Amino acid sequence: MTIMKNFAMITFILSLIVMMLTTLLSKKTIIDREKSSPFECGFDPKSSARIPFSLQFFLIAMIFLIFDVEITLLLPLVMTMKITSIMTFSIVTLIFIFILLIGLYHEWNQGALNWAL
């Protein structure tokens, strides 16, 4: 038992030393203006590379991802249909879809689904 504790302690100390060394050695001290600027065929860029993106598009994308993950949670319900009764399956499915609809209604009510400002 003490051998395992010693091995764990040595592993922990060794990994801590490696992490400290990489932190110390990886710091860049020289900030070059040319390297931090966007590259456009060797010339100075004509316009800013940091164009603003639509926050509304970002919100729609996040809502899509959330509902997409929830759809993947619906897929295993088909497999549970074989091992449960139809009444239990129906209740669980309806509750899950009801929760999804409440979330959709909330997003709609908050105006996150309106594309025009």
Side-chain angles (χ1 to χ4, degrees):
M1 192 63 155
T2 60
I3 295 173
M4 292 301 285
K5 286 182 183 178
N6 289 339
F7 183 71
M9 186 60 80
I10 291 171
T11 305
F12 177 73
I13 291 173
L14 187 62
S15 64
L16 190 65
I17 290 171
V18 169
M19 285 192 303
M20 282 203 239
L21 281 174
T22 56
T23 303
L24 290 174
L25 296 176
S26 69
K27 296 289 184 187
K28 292 186 178 185
T29 57
I30 300 172
I31 299 174
D32 190 11
R33 186 183 71 84
E34 293 295 325
K35 287 186 178 180
S36 63
S37 68
F39 183 73
E40 191 173 315
C41 300
F43 300 104
D44 288 333
K46 293 181 180 179
S47 63
S48 174
R50 307 273 191 246
I51 58 173
F53 65 96
S54 172
L55 185 61
Q56 195 68 25
F57 177 76
F58 179 74
L59 287 175
I60 294 290
M62 287 296 110
I63 291 170
F64 171 76
L65 284 175
I66 289 169
F67 281 103
D68 194 38
V69 168
E70 289 172 352
I71 293 298
T72 60
L73 293 175
L74 274 174
L75 291 176
L77 282 178
V78 177
M79 296 305 291
T80 61
M81 193 166 87
K82 294 179 182 178
I83 59 174
T84 62
S85 66
I86 192 72
M87 187 65 163
T88 306
F89 174 76
S90 299
I91 291 171
V92 169
T93 305
L94 286 175
I95 289 173
F96 192 79
I97 291 176
F98 183 69
I99 291 171
L100 286 179
L101 289 176
I102 288 173
L104 181 62
Y105 175 73
H106 176 71
E107 294 297 330
W108 192 358
N109 196 21
Q110 293 294 316
L113 300 177
N114 295 335
W115 190 260
L117 295 176

